[in-house]
Amino acid sequence: MSNFLSQLRTGWISVIWSKFAPIVIAVFGPRSAAYLTYLSMDWGLLNKQKSVVCLYRESFIKDIHQLRKRTEYNYPIVMAGFTRFQQSWTPKEMQEQTYYQSMESNYKAALLKSDIYAETLLRLISRKVDIGAVLSANIDYWQDGGFKRVCRKQKIPFIVLSREHPVIPSVCDWVTERYKEAEFFYTGQGVAVAGESSKKVILGANAVSDESIISITGLPRFDAWREVSVDKPLNERKTITLLTFTHGYGADKTFEEVLISFCLAAERDKQFRFLVKTKDEMDTVKVTRLVKKLGVSRVEITHEESLYEVLPQSYLVIGYNSLSLLEAAIARTNICIPAWGECLEDGENVMYRSSSINVSNCVSYLRKREDLEQLLTQGLESDGFNWDEDAISAFIGEFVAIPKEGCSERFGAFMAKYIQ
C-alpha cells in the first residue's frame, strides 16, 4: 500500500490518477472518496482511550510519532486522498492556502461535497476509535475547510500544531500581510506553535478570536533528541551532510552551485560519506535529476533516513535558512552556511544572521564558492566549535521553544484543555 501511495503522489500513477479521479468522484461521489481514504489510514497503536485524528503532511509525521510515544492520546493519521479527492470538486481558484476562505460563499456546492467527504470519513473513523479532536499542521490549509465545518457542527475540537514557523523577519511580515489581505480568520479551536515569532504573526494579523487559544509548545519532533546519543567524537564521524535548500528558499541557483561542488568533492574523497538529506520524496526526485546530470556516483540522496540517524554521524553539516540546523546544533556537528550569491548572512531575508552573537557562536559562514571547495578538500582547521550548553541553548532559543518538560508533554497538556 505504501508503495502505491508513493506512486500516486509522485510516480507514473499520478499522471493517470489526475485524469481518472474526477471521473471516479463524478460517478460515485464524495462518500466513495471517504471510503477510499479510510482504507489508507495509519492507525498506529490504539492503546489509549481518546484519539486525535491527524491530517497528513510530510514533515508533520515526525511530530506525530513523538506525540504517540509521549502523550495520553492515540494519533491515527489520514494518509491519502484528502487533497487529491477534494481537488476533483474544488475550483482551482479555491485551491490556494489562506485565500480560499474569502471565496467560500461563491462555491457552496463544492463546500457541501467537502463537508460530505469529511463527515463520512470521520464517521467511519469513529466506528473504530473515540475521536477526541482533529489535528492539522497549519491554520489555513484549504483542504481542511470541510473538516473544520464538520467538527464545529459535531462539537469536535479542531486543533492545529503548526509545522510552519516563520522566523525570518521578511517572511514574518509577508505572512502577516497575507493573512490581512485575505482577511483570513481561523475557525478552529486551539493553536500550538513552535515559538514566539509564530504567535506574533497570527496575533498581528488578527487571525484568531482570542490570544488565549495560542500556546507556545515547541515542536514535538525535537523530543526525539532526548533519546539520541550525540557523544560520538567529531574526529570519528565520517559523514558530510548537505541539507537541501531548493524550492521556497529563494536560492535555487546557489544551491545548484553548492551541490556541484559537493558532488565533485565526493568523487575525490573516499574517506567520507557524502549525503544529501532531502525534505521529502518530491525533493529527492528533483535533487536526483540534478545529480544525474553531473554523472557522479558517490553522492547519496535520501529523505527516508532521519535527521536523528544522520546528524549524530555527521562531521559537517551544510545548510541555509533551515530549522534543521538547530537539530545539527543539538547533535554537536560543525555547521557551515553558504553566504554568497542568493544566500545571505544578514538582513531581513536571513534566518541565521551573522550579526547575532548567538548564531555566530555556533555557525561558520562560507562567503564564496571557493571557501566551500577548500573546506571540502582540506577539511576544517580544527574539530570545530567547542560549544557549551549555554551557547547551544541560546542558539536554539533564538528560534524555537524547547520546554524543560518536553514539547510533546506541553502539547499534551494543551490538548487536555479541549478534549473531554
Side-chain angles (χ1 to χ4, degrees), residues 252-321:
D252 287 47
K253 182 179 178 181
T254 305
F255 173 75
E256 290 192 28
E257 292 177 2
V258 171
L259 181 64
I260 291 170
S261 296
F262 190 81
C263 290
L264 294 177
E267 291 297 294
R268 294 190 302 265
D269 189 333
K270 310 301 181 184
Q271 297 182 5
F272 282 89
R273 177 193 187 200
F274 282 73
L275 178 68
V276 181
K277 179 66 176 71
T278 56
K279 291 177 171 50
D280 52 38
E281 191 166 5
M282 294 295 291
D283 198 21
T284 296
V285 170
K286 179 175 181 177
V287 174
T288 300
R289 287 172 181 162
L290 292 173
V291 171
K292 281 184 177 179
K293 291 179 182 179
L294 300 175
V296 297
S297 58
R298 288 202 71 249
V299 170
E300 298 180 43
I301 306 165
T302 182
H303 64 277
E304 295 179 338
E305 195 169 346
S306 75
L307 290 175
Y308 313 119
E309 299 170 288
V310 171
L311 296 180
Q313 302 300 321
S314 295
Y315 170 75
L316 170 66
V317 172
I318 303 165
Y320 179 70
N321 275 7

Side-chain angles (χ1 to χ4, degrees), residues 59 61-67 70 161-163 165 193-195 217-228 307-308 311 322-331 351-352 392 395-397 399-403 406-409:
S59 62
I61 289 296
K62 293 188 289 186
D63 297 307
I64 296 171
H65 285 165
Q66 295 304 309
L67 292 173
R70 303 175 191 278
L161 171 56
S162 185
R163 68 171 188 148
H165 176 49
V193 295
T217 64
L219 295 171
R221 70 191 70 172
F222 282 98
D223 292 333
W225 289 104
R226 290 148 62 181
E227 299 167 357
V228 176
L307 290 175
Y308 313 119
L311 296 180
S322 169
L323 284 174
S324 296
L325 292 182
L326 302 181
E327 296 182 79
I330 295 173
M351 178 176 177
Y352 300 106
I392 294 170
F395 176 49
I396 295 169
F399 304 100
V400 299
I402 301 183
C407 302
S408 299
E409 288 82 356

Side-chain angles (χ1 to χ4, degrees), residues 45-72:
L45 289 176
L46 301 178
N47 56 357
K48 314 286 178 60
Q49 182 178 0
K50 290 282 187 176
S51 292
V52 177
V53 178
C54 304
L55 303 178
Y56 175 85
R57 291 280 171 169
E58 194 88 40
S59 62
F60 193 36
I61 289 296
K62 293 188 289 186
D63 297 307
I64 296 171
H65 285 165
Q66 295 304 309
L67 292 173
R68 282 175 168 176
K69 292 172 61 176
R70 303 175 191 278
T71 69
E72 61 183 39

Side-chain angles (χ1 to χ4, degrees), residues 76-343:
I77 308 170
V78 178
M79 291 295 296
F82 71 95
T83 291
R84 288 186 176 272
F85 285 130
Q86 292 188 89
Q87 285 174 332
S88 299
W89 61 72
T90 303
K92 287 284 187 183
E93 54 267 37
M94 278 198 69
Q95 295 176 28
E96 183 177 2
Q97 186 173 338
T98 311
Y99 287 91
Y100 69 91
Q101 198 177 64
S102 62
M103 307 178 212
E104 288 182 339
S105 60
N106 298 327
Y107 298 102
K108 292 184 178 180
L111 266 60
L112 178 60
K113 289 183 178 179
S114 288
D115 290 358
I116 292 171
Y117 170 77
E119 187 279 327
T120 303
L121 179 57
L122 292 178
R123 175 165 46 81
L124 291 169
I125 294 172
S126 68
R127 293 176 181 175
K128 188 166 183 173
V129 299
D130 184 359
I131 299 176
V134 172
L135 182 65
S136 179
N138 202 25
I139 64 174
D140 64 340
Y141 291 142
W142 69 266
Q143 300 94 324
D144 294 353
F147 290 96
K148 288 177 181 174
R149 290 187 293 274
V150 171
C151 283
R152 193 160 57 248
K153 181 179 178 181
Q154 297 185 1
K155 294 182 170 50
I156 299 172
F158 186 97
I159 308 295
V160 162
L161 171 56
S162 185
R163 68 171 188 148
E164 298 190 16
H165 176 49
V167 291
I168 299 170
S170 63
V171 174
C172 291
D173 293 342
W174 177 78
V175 175
T176 300
E177 290 307 311
R178 181 182 173 91
Y179 285 155
K180 287 181 178 179
E181 183 180 73
E183 297 182 343
F184 177 81
F185 190 80
Y186 176 63
T187 57
Q189 280 68 56
V191 181
V193 295
E196 187 66 35
S197 61
S198 282
K199 183 174 181 177
K200 286 182 178 179
V201 164
I202 294 171
L203 293 178
N206 296 315
V208 294
S209 59
D210 188 341
E211 179 178 347
S212 67
I213 74 169
I214 305 177
S215 178
I216 298 175
T217 64
L219 295 171
R221 70 191 70 172
F222 282 98
D223 292 333
W225 289 104
R226 290 148 62 181
E227 299 167 357
V228 176
S229 173
V230 296
D231 295 332
K232 190 171 186 176
L234 279 169
N235 59 12
E236 295 179 14
R237 301 186 186 191
K238 296 301 180 182
T239 299
I240 297 178
T241 302
L242 171 60
L243 303 176
T244 56
F245 49 96
T246 49
H247 178 71
Y249 289 78
D252 287 47
K253 182 179 178 181
T254 305
F255 173 75
E256 290 192 28
E257 292 177 2
V258 171
L259 181 64
I260 291 170
S261 296
F262 190 81
C263 290
L264 294 177
E267 291 297 294
R268 294 190 302 265
D269 189 333
K270 310 301 181 184
Q271 297 182 5
F272 282 89
R273 177 193 187 200
F274 282 73
L275 178 68
V276 181
K277 179 66 176 71
T278 56
K279 291 177 171 50
D280 52 38
E281 191 166 5
M282 294 295 291
D283 198 21
T284 296
V285 170
K286 179 175 181 177
V287 174
T288 300
R289 287 172 181 162
L290 292 173
V291 171
K292 281 184 177 179
K293 291 179 182 179
L294 300 175
V296 297
S297 58
R298 288 202 71 249
V299 170
E300 298 180 43
I301 306 165
T302 182
H303 64 277
E304 295 179 338
E305 195 169 346
S306 75
L307 290 175
Y308 313 119
E309 299 170 288
V310 171
L311 296 180
Q313 302 300 321
S314 295
Y315 170 75
L316 170 66
V317 172
I318 303 165
Y320 179 70
N321 275 7
S322 169
L323 284 174
S324 296
L325 292 182
L326 302 181
E327 296 182 79
I330 295 173
R332 311 304 197 267
T333 68
N334 294 301
I335 300 173
C336 289
I337 296 179
W340 77 84
E342 298 157 313
C343 294

